[in-house]
Amino acid sequence: MFRPTPLALLAFVALAGCGSPAPADEHRPANAPHLQPAFPGQTRAPLVKSELAYQVATAAEGLDRPWAIAFLPDGRMLVTEKPGRLRLVGAQGALSEPAAGLPKVDSRGQGGLLGLAVDPAFAANGLIYWSYAEKHDDGRTNTAVARGRLVADAARPRLEEVKVIFRQTPSVDSTYHYGSRLVFGRDGTLFITLGERAKMEGRVQAQRLDGTLGKVARINPDGSIPVDNPFRQTSGARAEIWSIGHRNVQGAALNPRTGRLWTVEHGARGGDELNIPLAGKDYGWPTISYGIEYTGGAIGDGISQKTGMEQPVYYWDPVIAPSGMAFYEAELFPAWKGSLFIGAMGGMHLARLALDGDRVTSEERLLSDLNERIRDVVAGPDGALYVATDSPMGRILRITPKR
């Protein structure tokens, strides 16, 4: 697997009080303290520090705002870079030239080459999937998803038989809130997370069924619609829709214990949400929220609960600006088995959530000494955690137990 050079090795040790709560004042004051949680433990779980000693090594560097990591069956990594490049990372951390064959990417604002997934049957079909910001002649943009057959040449990879299999509708004059994580379900369908594009028209769309802004979508790998999608038979609805009422879902992962999709999305000032999107359910945005507007006013009617709308499993106020997420079930860190890891861009740390079923019981904040935005996190086939740092000199970091 990846073998860092001595200069790339950075050691961090988390000490003191395994499982013990941190002082309550380590949670910063809420932006919307008048919005009370719907159930105990829905927010501000005890902050803990484990006694687990770990080390952090640079597995790859020289990346321009890496956005997503995915592993190939042979252990090599694929990494997307926001400006529109796809790289193959060799076993010693060497970066390939950018892969040829990608469609044109609009990298303005929060756009770029974003989510990434490897087909579960990659060994047989060689297919990978990616999401990206697509710009049209009228200036409007949307999230698009394409797939192609990867020729994984170590020096100059390329994509063949490229096909766009999904386009978010409607296109909007915005360069924000693309969502863009891609996750395969156990049944082989593909989940796509989609933002509401940070426009008022997008907010309205998040609650409507005639478009895919502010939604989680579900398609087959060829772009067709699964027969059991919840709105497939609903007149006027987009058949791709799986769930509605989302703001900007930038993290998603399949829970290996249940097979259910979990997502994490950005709030405004407060209201980052961890959800378990179920078929046909409404997750409330912008009707309900645990945050306030960036300008300080109430969002909509200023309510956080409403009949017929789902509650988040957990929420943050103030926000951590969550991005990539991964469940951990490997043996390399036995103490972390069953944990959920989430990259915090605003919080500049890696959040580890301890879970009891579907409830968060504690929160630990790792890598805060790096002072870097964490864009993605995945559990590698070797049991290590791999983290992408979001900067023009971005890195892929490998976290292993300290020996």
Side-chain angles (χ1 to χ4, degrees):
M1 193 51 63
F2 296 93
R3 297 180 177 86
T5 64
L7 289 176
L9 192 61
L10 305 169
F12 296 90
V13 183
L15 300 171
C18 180
S20 59
D25 60 6
E26 288 192 17
H27 282 295
R28 292 178 292 139
N31 290 296
H34 61 288
L35 298 174
Q36 295 299 302
F39 54 84
Q42 192 184 19
T43 190
R44 295 176 174 260
L47 293 176
V48 302
K49 289 187 177 181
S50 67
E51 293 177 343
L52 182 64
Y54 60 91
Q55 61 188 16
V56 182
T58 299
E61 57 190 341
L63 292 157
D64 190 351
R65 287 159 290 176
W67 211 93
I69 306 167
F71 279 89
L72 297 176
D74 64 7
R76 289 184 293 173
M77 273 191 296
L78 290 171
V79 180
T80 57
E81 293 177 284
K82 183 183 178 297
R85 295 182 290 270
L86 175 68
R87 304 275 193 174
L88 185 64
V89 183
Q92 303 300 321
L95 298 181
S96 73
E97 291 296 314
L102 287 169
K104 187 174 181 180
V105 170
D106 181 18
S107 62
R108 297 173 302 156
Q110 294 175 359
L113 184 60
L114 306 172
L116 183 63
V118 174
D119 195 292
F122 178 88
N125 61 29
L127 293 175
I128 67 168
Y129 302 73
W130 61 94
S131 62
Y132 62 101
E134 181 180 59
K135 182 182 177 184
H136 299 279
D137 291 341
D138 63 1
R140 291 177 173 261
T141 62
N142 53 262
T143 304
V145 178
R147 77 175 190 180
R149 196 176 309 280
L150 176 68
V151 179
D153 181 89
R156 180 67 172 177
R158 66 183 187 277
L159 293 157
E160 299 178 343
E161 302 172 38
V162 171
K163 175 187 176 184
V164 176
I165 59 172
F166 173 86
R167 285 187 168 95
Q168 185 185 36
T169 56
S171 298
V172 178
D173 183 13
S174 170
T175 60
Y176 297 95
H177 291 197
Y178 288 96
S180 283
R181 291 294 172 185
L182 305 177
V183 177
F184 274 98
R186 284 181 176 173
D187 60 0
T189 57
L190 181 64
F191 290 103
I192 306 164
T193 72
L194 300 161
E196 35 71 291
R197 308 306 314 284
K199 290 270 190 171
M200 189 55 66
E201 63 181 294
R203 284 192 179 188
V204 173
Q205 266 283 342
Q207 286 291 319
R208 291 173 50 169
L209 296 178
D210 60 348
T212 52
L213 279 69
K215 309 295 194 302
V216 173
R218 177 177 178 250
I219 62 174
N220 292 317
D222 62 358
S224 62
I225 308 300
V227 296
D228 58 346
N229 266 15
F231 301 108
R232 185 182 172 98
Q233 304 301 324
T234 303
S235 177
R238 298 291 305 192
E240 306 99 319
I241 296 173
W242 176 257
S243 61
I244 74 171
H246 300 283
R247 186 173 183 269
N248 187 24
V249 184
Q250 285 200 6
L254 212 66
N255 186 328
R257 299 190 178 187
T258 65
R260 291 195 296 178
L261 179 74
W262 288 46
T263 61
V264 66
E265 65 187 81
H266 287 246
R269 287 180 60 188
D272 287 348
E273 292 186 3
L274 179 65
N275 286 302
I276 307 174
L278 301 178
K281 297 296 185 178
D282 182 353
Y283 290 82
W285 178 259
T287 307
I288 60 174
S289 171
Y290 281 98
I292 59 176
E293 297 282 11
Y294 291 117
T295 54
I299 295 171
D301 292 333
I303 59 174
S304 56
Q305 302 172 41
K306 187 173 182 178
T307 301
M309 294 182 174
E310 303 302 308
Q311 283 291 308
V313 170
Y314 191 71
Y315 72 87
W316 290 265
D317 179 14
V319 300
I320 63 169
S323 194
M325 60 188 282
F327 286 91
Y328 189 82
E329 291 290 352
E331 299 297 333
L332 194 62
F333 288 104
W336 285 353
K337 286 190 72 170
S339 295
L340 176 61
F341 290 86
I342 298 174
M345 295 188 295
M348 292 192 179
H349 64 268
L350 179 65
R352 183 182 71 84
L353 304 184
L355 303 175
D356 181 4
D358 294 343
R359 295 294 175 91
V360 175
T361 58
S362 66
E363 183 176 346
E364 183 174 14
R365 297 176 179 180
L366 309 170
L367 305 186
S368 56
D369 290 346
L370 288 179
N371 198 33
E372 294 185 61
R373 288 157 51 98
I374 304 299
R375 173 62 76 175
D376 198 16
V377 54
V378 301
D382 58 352
L385 280 171
Y386 291 82
V387 169
T389 66
D390 180 43
S391 82
M393 292 300 294
R395 299 178 291 164
I396 306 299
L397 303 177
R398 180 174 180 256
I399 304 172
T400 56
K402 188 175 184 182
R403 305 300 184 186

